[in-house]
């Protein structure tokens, strides 16, 4: 059993440590017996040293020739020499007029080598152990390092890994240390169960925690690794889940992991007590601070009477009240919530009391554990600095910001007394984690055109570039008739302020049946937060478009045709291609409102984006474009994990001055607008072109769309697989055109209904939609299956 194995390892470590202590104690005893009374020697002889200079040994003891010394001096000399870590044994005795110091030196480590390790690289292991090249060798240290390596393998799901070491003597007191690793099989999680839950099912709670059961995709997601620290984090995730849904008395009574040696897997059990569900009762604000009226603070209250109790709403209220008080000049105001439970009607009345807190100042902020991340990257997440008033609410907000960076495994902030009674020291302890990402994926897109068929894509990204908190990403991919490349860089704190700045450089090529295109461009962007949920972004965009006809066009049957055939390719598209190179120089501004709880798997919140883009700062294009989109997620039946989604969108583009809209400037229909129709399959069209061709539709100047959707867990499928289902109804209209002779420019609505399978895959959130149009025009092109991103922001 694992418990017996761990017990044996602990006993072995204690025995080794005891051996070292006993050997040292034996040396001390010999030394003290050899010198019974105070004595004087005329010289100090050093024996047994090979590498350490004799004078260095003499300088580490307090005994000097010609001076009296006694047993206590000898004891102290032995301790000092052992403390250097250079010697495995030290003996001191008197021989006539000489004090003889005999030492046995530790061997010097020439190399530290690893054999049998595949899951963990040599450089990852060498950073975690104590033995290092050119350092002293100790068998006790080697044994401790072997245990460290075993623990490292346990953290990556190799609980049964065996680690041993051997010492290779190279002569001249030098050794190589070789750690032999038997990685063993991968430890899995066979079950996660809950005891005591009635409001929420096991499957719903398994979705809340980060630890997942082993499944067919676990080798990619790596979320089925048992770790005691992760289990503690899962307990906290369960508490926050219940606290934010009215269960203020919720408790995790215990969490345990039982290992099965036969299957090399864990069975994890959480025992919980849900308690009673509460709503907010009366909400009051009281102030004992002279001059600070509760009335001026009521706008900061996020808790609403009659709504289910939510710890997050209470925290947001505390933060708002603290910040508002500080803005009014009361830096030491301390906000304390007091809850009064009424068990009979199931309410919690909350009184926010504002008192004059102790006048404490931050003496300094001490950061520990960040070997890679620069100090200033951590410091800038604090709204307080050295010399400012201490405010616990602002400190907790900084902690949440640091956790949201996703640079660290854990973040802990504690206080320590400063040099004065009114001074405190903030101690920030972080444990860093890997922030680099390498992803390679593939997919299949339905429909024809340049993006249809199989495709592959890959990217290399670093979220904490050079430890400066910057992000950089290089991506590339494509299919049979498409190629995409992009380089992105973002500095989240431009010029030391909470303003993001970055750039994107891209090149996209497409090969159509009659022509091909190449788009090359870049964007310089700046983002500024306005409130916690509202931000703005401005950007300058430059794009160069190149179009060229193919030399030869071949139909599906193999016969050739003229690429400029007016019955095959719209004359308006031909005119745009004949213009050759086209440049667009534009500025854009966006307002973004985001309260989504989880951007990868949203269940609650709003995401809205309104963008205005104006082209004409040089270049060939002269137009103004307005687009807006909003998505609202809301749990419908929280106990069944039913989530509702409402989405609306709109867009309009118009030319100005002497500029004219090209066919390529118009909006084209897509699956983000309405599902069940082909890309560019609705809207105004060229009546002179064979309507079977992709170039039949020309796009429109205005669109509106709306969608209603219900998402739900799929029965009989483990939540660890990441699959969910959805049912939806879409509606859209695309109309208007600046192209002479275009038909179908009226505001005709289309509608479709269908179902989806949503997959939170290791490559990103994906979904497959099946939609059947039930309101369409005769000229529309239908495509019932579509494949795309799950989050439609």
């Amino acid at each position: 059993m694992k418990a017996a194995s761990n017990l044996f390892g602990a006993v072995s470590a204690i025995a080794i440590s005891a051996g070292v202590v006993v050997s040292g104690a034996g040396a001390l005893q010999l030394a003290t017996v050899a010198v019974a009374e105070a004595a004087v020697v005329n010289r100090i002889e050093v024996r047994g040293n090979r590498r350490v200079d004799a004078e260095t040994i003499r300088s580490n003891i307090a005994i000097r020739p010609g001076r009296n010394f006694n047993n206590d001096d000898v004891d102290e000399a032995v301790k000092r020499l052992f403390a250097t870590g250079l010697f495995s044994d030290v003996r001191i005795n008197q021989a006539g007029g000489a004090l003889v110091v005999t030492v046995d030196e530790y061997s010097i480590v020439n190399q530290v080598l690893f054999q049998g390790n595949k899951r963990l690289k040599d450089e990852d292991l060498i950073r975690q152990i104590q033995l290092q090249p050119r350092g002293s060798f100790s068998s006790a240290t080697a044994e401790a390092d072997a245990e460290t390596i075993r623990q490292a393998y346990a953290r990556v799901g190799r609980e049964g890994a065996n680690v041993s070491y051997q010492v290779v003597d190279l002569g001249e007191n030098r050794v190589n240390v070789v750690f032999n690793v038997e990685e063993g099989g991968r430890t899995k999680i066979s079950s996660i169960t809950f005891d005591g839950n009635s409001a929420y099912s096991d499957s719903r709670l398994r979705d809340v925690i980060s630890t997942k059961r082993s499944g067919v995709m676990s080798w990619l997601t790596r979320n089925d690794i048992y770790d005691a620290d992760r289990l503690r984090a899962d307990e906290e995730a369960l508490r926050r889940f219940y606290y934010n849904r009215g269960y203020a008395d919720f408790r995790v009574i215990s969490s345990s992991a039982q290992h099965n040696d036969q299957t090399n897997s864990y069975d994890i059990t959480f025992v919980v007590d849900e308690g009673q569900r509460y709503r907010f009762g009366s909400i009051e604000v009281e102030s004992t601070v002279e001059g600070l009226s509760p009335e001026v603070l009521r706008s900061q209250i996020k808790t609403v009477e009659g709504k289910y109790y939510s710890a997050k709403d209470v925290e947001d209220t505390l933060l708002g009240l603290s910040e508002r008080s500080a803005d009014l000049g009361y830096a030491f105001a301390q906000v304390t919530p007091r809850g009064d439970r009424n068990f009979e009607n199931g309410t919690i009345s909350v009184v926010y009391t504002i008192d004059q807190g102790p006048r404490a100042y931050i003496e300094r902020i001490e950061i520990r554990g960040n070997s890679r991340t620069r100090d200033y990257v951590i410091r800038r997440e604090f709204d307080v600095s050295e010399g400012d008033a201490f405010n616990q609410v602002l400190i907790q907000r900084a902690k949440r910001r640091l956790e949201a960076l996703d640079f660290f495994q854990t973040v802990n902030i504690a206080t320590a007394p400063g040099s004065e009674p009114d001074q405190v020291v903030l101690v920030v302890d972080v444990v860093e984690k890997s922030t680099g990402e390498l992803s390679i994926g593939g997919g299949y897109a339905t429909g024809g055109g340049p993006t249809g068929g199989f495709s592959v894509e890959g990217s290399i990204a670093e979220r904490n570039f050079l430890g400066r908190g910057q992000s950089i990403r290089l991506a590339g991919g494509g299919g049979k008739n498409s190629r995409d490349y992009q380089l992105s860089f973002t500095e989240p704190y431009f010029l030391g302020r909470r303003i993001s700045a970055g750039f994107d450089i891209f090149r996209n090529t497409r090969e159509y049946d009659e022509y091909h295109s190449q788009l090359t461009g870049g964007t310089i962007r700046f983002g500024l937060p306005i409130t916690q949920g509202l931000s703005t972004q401005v950007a300058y965009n430059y794009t160069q478009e190149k179009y060229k006809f193919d030399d030869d066009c071949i139909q599906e049957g193999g016969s050739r045709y003229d690429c400029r055939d007016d019955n095959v390719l719209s004359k308006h598209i031909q005119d745009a291609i004949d213009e050759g190179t086209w440049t667009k120089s534009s500025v854009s501004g966006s307002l973004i409102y985001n309260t989504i709880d989880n951007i990868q798997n949203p269940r609650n919140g709003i995401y809205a984006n309104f963008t205005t883009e104006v082209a004409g700062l040089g270049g060939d294009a002269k137009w103004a474009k307005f687009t807006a989109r909003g998505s609202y997620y809301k749990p419908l039946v929280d106990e069944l994990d039913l989530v509702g989604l409402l989405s609306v969108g709109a867009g309009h583009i118009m030319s100005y001055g002497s500029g004219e809209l090209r066919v390529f400037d118009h909006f084209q229909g897509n699956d983000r607008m309405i599902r069940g129709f082909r890309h560019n399959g609705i809207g105004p069209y060229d009546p002179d072109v064979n309507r079977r061709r992709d170039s039949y539709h020309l796009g429109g100047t205005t669109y509106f769309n709306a969608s209603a959707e219900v998402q739900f867990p799929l029965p009989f499928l483990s939540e660890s697989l990441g699959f969910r289902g959805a049912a939806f109804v879409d509606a859209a209209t695309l109309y208007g055109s600046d192209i002479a002779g275009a038909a179908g420019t009226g505001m005709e609505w289309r509608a479709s209904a269908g179902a989806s399978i949503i997959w939170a895959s290791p490559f990103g959130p994906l979904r497959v939609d099946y939609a059947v149009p039930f309101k369409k025009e005769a000229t529309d092109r239908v495509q019932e299956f579509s494949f795309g991103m799950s989050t439609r922001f």
Side-chain angles (χ1 to χ4, degrees):
M1 294 295 290
K2 289 291 175 182
S5 175
N6 292 337
L7 177 61
F8 178 77
V11 172
S12 300
I14 294 172
I16 292 171
S17 302
V20 173
V21 173
V22 169
S23 63
L28 284 171
Q29 183 177 8
L30 290 174
T32 54
V33 169
V35 183
E37 300 177 354
V40 177
V41 293
N42 54 29
R43 68 184 186 279
I44 298 176
E45 295 183 4
V46 178
R47 300 175 183 175
N49 59 312
R50 299 179 182 179
R51 175 173 50 88
V52 183
D53 184 71
E55 193 57 39
T56 300
I57 296 174
R58 293 188 184 98
S59 65
N60 272 280
I61 63 178
I63 302 172
R64 296 292 181 266
R67 296 183 183 178
N68 289 334
F69 67 94
N70 55 30
N71 287 343
D72 292 338
D73 296 324
V74 173
D75 291 346
E76 183 63 27
V78 172
K79 290 178 181 178
R80 285 189 178 184
L81 291 174
F82 270 119
T84 63
L86 300 173
F87 311 109
S88 60
D89 198 9
V90 176
R91 300 176 299 279
I92 300 179
N93 54 60
Q94 186 175 356
L99 186 69
V100 180
V101 181
T102 305
V103 297
D104 292 335
E105 294 181 350
Y106 280 125
S107 299
I108 298 300
V109 177
N110 180 60
Q111 285 182 297
V112 179
L113 306 173
F114 303 92
Q115 293 182 351
N117 57 308
K118 297 179 180 178
R119 300 294 175 181
L120 296 178
K121 297 179 180 179
D122 290 7
E123 52 267 28
D124 295 330
L125 295 176
I126 197 71
R127 283 197 298 264
Q128 301 185 51
I129 62 176
Q130 301 177 60
L131 288 178
Q132 298 293 324
R134 296 183 298 279
S136 298
F137 170 78
S138 164
S139 58
T141 303
E143 187 62 40
D145 285 346
E147 179 61 26
T148 299
I149 296 172
R150 280 190 286 268
Q151 293 299 324
Y153 270 95
R155 289 193 293 272
V156 297
R158 302 280 167 168
E159 185 75 24
N162 291 318
V163 182
S164 60
Y165 73 92
Q166 63 185 94
V167 181
V168 180
D169 191 350
L170 303 178
E172 297 182 356
N173 208 31
R174 295 183 306 116
V175 296
N176 283 346
V177 182
V178 182
F179 288 98
N180 298 302
V181 180
E182 296 178 10
E183 294 182 329
R186 187 166 178 267
T187 307
K188 299 181 179 180
I189 295 178
S190 58
S191 67
I192 301 176
T193 58
F194 297 85
D195 186 10
N197 55 308
S198 59
Y200 299 98
S201 65
D202 283 18
S203 60
R204 179 68 180 101
L205 297 181
R206 281 194 291 264
D207 193 59
V208 172
I209 62 177
S210 62
T211 305
K212 303 298 181 183
R213 292 182 294 182
S214 298
V216 294
M217 298 301 296
S218 296
W219 64 278
L220 279 174
T221 59
R222 312 297 294 174
N223 55 14
D224 65 334
I225 297 173
Y226 167 71
D227 181 68
D229 292 336
R230 177 182 281 189
L231 212 61
R232 302 289 86 76
D234 287 341
E235 291 181 9
E236 182 59 27
L238 289 170
R239 292 187 189 96
R240 295 195 66 84
F241 175 79
Y242 273 94
Y243 290 166
N244 291 334
R245 287 162 175 79
Y247 295 90
D249 297 330
F250 173 80
R251 295 182 303 144
V252 178
I253 298 175
S254 67
S255 60
S256 60
Q258 185 66 35
H259 187 267
N260 187 323
D261 288 335
Q262 294 181 346
T263 61
N264 192 25
S265 63
Y266 279 102
D267 295 302
I268 297 177
T269 303
F270 293 91
V271 180
V272 302
D273 179 10
E274 292 179 329
Q276 184 176 347
R277 194 177 193 185
Y278 298 91
R279 295 181 182 269
F280 281 114
S282 61
I283 308 296
E284 301 292 338
V285 179
E286 297 177 352
S287 174
T288 63
V289 180
E290 185 178 354
L292 185 59
S293 170
E295 299 303 320
V296 301
L297 301 174
R298 288 193 176 275
S299 61
Q300 304 299 320
I301 296 178
K302 309 299 181 185
T303 48
V304 180
E305 183 175 353
K307 182 181 176 182
Y308 278 118
Y309 175 85
S310 170
K312 182 180 183 301
D313 291 345
V314 175
E315 292 172 359
D316 291 343
T317 301
L318 291 177
L319 181 59
L321 292 173
S322 297
E323 288 185 330
R324 182 57 178 158
S325 299
D327 291 341
L328 294 173
Y330 300 91
F332 297 99
Q334 181 173 292
V335 185
T336 305
R338 185 179 72 252
D340 183 14
R341 286 173 171 78
N342 187 322
F343 297 102
E344 293 181 359
N345 60 17
T347 62
I348 298 179
S349 299
V350 182
V351 178
Y352 298 98
T353 303
I354 305 175
D355 300 314
Q356 185 67 44
R359 291 184 173 271
Y361 299 88
I362 299 174
E363 181 175 344
R364 71 177 186 275
I365 300 176
E366 184 178 318
I367 301 172
R368 304 184 304 200
N370 56 318
S371 60
R372 182 168 181 268
T373 306
R374 312 292 178 95
D375 274 14
Y376 70 82
V377 173
I378 298 174
R379 289 178 180 274
R380 67 192 184 189
E381 298 301 330
F382 287 82
D383 289 328
V384 293
S385 57
E386 282 88 347
D388 289 347
F390 174 78
N391 188 310
Q392 184 63 46
V393 176
L394 298 182
I395 302 305
Q396 289 304 311
R397 181 166 74 170
K399 182 177 184 292
R400 291 196 293 270
R401 283 177 176 169
L402 289 172
E403 291 172 338
L405 291 177
D406 202 25
F407 297 167
F408 313 106
Q409 294 182 19
T410 58
V411 177
N412 291 305
I413 303 178
T415 59
S419 57
E420 300 293 337
D422 63 345
Q423 302 283 322
V424 296
V425 177
L426 287 183
V427 182
V428 184
D429 286 301
V430 298
V431 178
E432 294 180 311
K433 67 179 181 180
S434 175
T435 53
E437 296 177 354
L438 171 64
S439 64
I440 299 176
Y444 181 82
T446 55
T451 59
F454 287 98
S455 62
V456 63
E457 61 180 21
S459 67
I460 300 175
E462 172 56 61
R463 301 193 310 274
N464 189 11
F465 184 59
L466 300 178
R468 300 175 183 271
Q470 302 161 336
S471 64
I472 186 170
R473 181 175 183 268
L474 177 64
K480 179 181 178 181
N481 299 313
S482 64
R483 301 288 186 276
D484 296 325
Y485 306 97
Q486 183 175 11
L487 172 65
S488 299
F489 176 83
T490 301
E491 165 56 67
Y493 278 76
F494 184 61
L495 299 178
R497 299 183 178 274
R498 197 163 287 152
I499 300 174
S500 66
F503 65 83
D504 307 290
I505 301 173
F506 66 89
R507 169 169 287 184
N508 301 330
T509 60
R510 299 288 185 268
E511 296 179 7
Y512 298 85
D513 290 337
E514 293 82 20
Y515 66 97
H516 60 267
S517 67
Q518 181 185 87
L519 275 65
T520 305
T523 297
I524 299 175
R525 46 188 163 74
F526 298 90
L528 176 67
I530 300 175
T531 65
Q532 186 173 356
L534 183 64
S535 63
T536 183
Q537 179 172 293
V538 295
Y540 171 75
N541 316 282
Y542 182 86
T543 303
Q544 182 186 78
E545 305 176 21
K546 293 183 178 180
Y547 299 90
K548 186 178 180 181
F549 280 102
D550 290 341
D551 296 330
D552 200 7
C553 293
I554 303 175
Q555 293 181 346
E556 292 182 1
S559 61
R560 301 179 185 276
Y561 65 94
D562 184 1
C563 297
R564 293 175 178 265
D565 187 342
D566 291 347
N567 191 45
V568 173
L569 186 65
S570 171
K571 188 67 169 63
H572 305 292
I573 296 179
Q574 294 184 41
D575 293 342
I577 296 173
D578 285 334
E579 291 176 351
T581 301
W582 182 271
T583 59
K584 181 197 75 175
S585 176
S586 69
V587 293
S588 59
S590 301
L591 277 176
I592 303 168
Y593 182 73
N594 183 11
T595 61
I596 294 294
D597 55 350
N598 185 335
I599 205 71
Q600 297 294 328
N601 188 17
R603 283 185 169 86
N604 195 11
I606 298 174
Y607 187 95
N609 186 325
F610 174 74
T611 299
T612 299
E613 183 178 2
V614 179
L617 298 178
D620 303 310
K622 285 182 171 53
W623 46 253
K625 182 191 295 183
F626 308 93
T627 57
R629 184 174 183 86
S631 299
Y632 175 51
Y633 289 85
K634 178 69 176 178
L636 300 179
V637 183
D638 208 6
E639 292 80 359
L640 300 177
D641 196 17
L642 296 182
V643 178
L645 166 62
L646 290 176
S647 296
V648 294
H652 180 68
I653 187 171
M654 61 183 181
S655 61
Y656 66 89
S658 60
E660 293 183 356
L661 289 180
R662 301 175 306 150
V663 63
F664 296 130
D665 294 329
H666 287 65
F667 294 111
Q668 295 183 343
N670 54 54
D671 64 346
R672 285 173 55 85
M673 188 180 296
I674 184 171
R675 288 162 284 192
F677 297 85
R678 289 194 64 169
H679 180 84
N680 196 27
I682 64 173
Y685 60 93
D686 187 342
D688 298 327
V689 176
N690 184 332
R691 65 180 58 181
R692 292 176 299 175
R693 305 296 301 179
D694 289 333
S695 57
Y696 177 60
H697 287 94
L698 303 174
T701 57
T702 306
Y703 74 86
F704 294 95
N705 71 289
S707 177
E709 181 172 297
V710 176
Q711 299 177 1
F712 48 86
L714 291 175
F716 312 115
L717 285 180
S718 169
E719 76 289 336
S720 62
L721 297 176
F723 285 100
R724 290 173 63 80
F728 61 85
V729 177
D730 291 349
T733 179
L734 175 63
Y735 64 96
S737 178
D738 279 6
I739 299 174
T745 59
M747 188 178 178
E748 302 294 339
W749 283 88
R750 283 82 169 172
S752 65
S756 306
I757 295 178
I758 306 170
W759 181 31
S761 79
F763 315 109
L766 305 174
R767 68 185 293 155
V768 176
D769 299 315
Y770 177 75
V772 177
F774 59 85
K775 182 175 177 54
K776 61 182 179 177
E777 297 297 308
T779 56
D780 294 340
R781 303 196 66 196
V782 173
Q783 177 179 295
E784 295 177 341
F785 281 99
S786 64
F787 177 86
M789 300 302 294
S790 172
T791 50
R792 303 166 64 82
F793 301 129

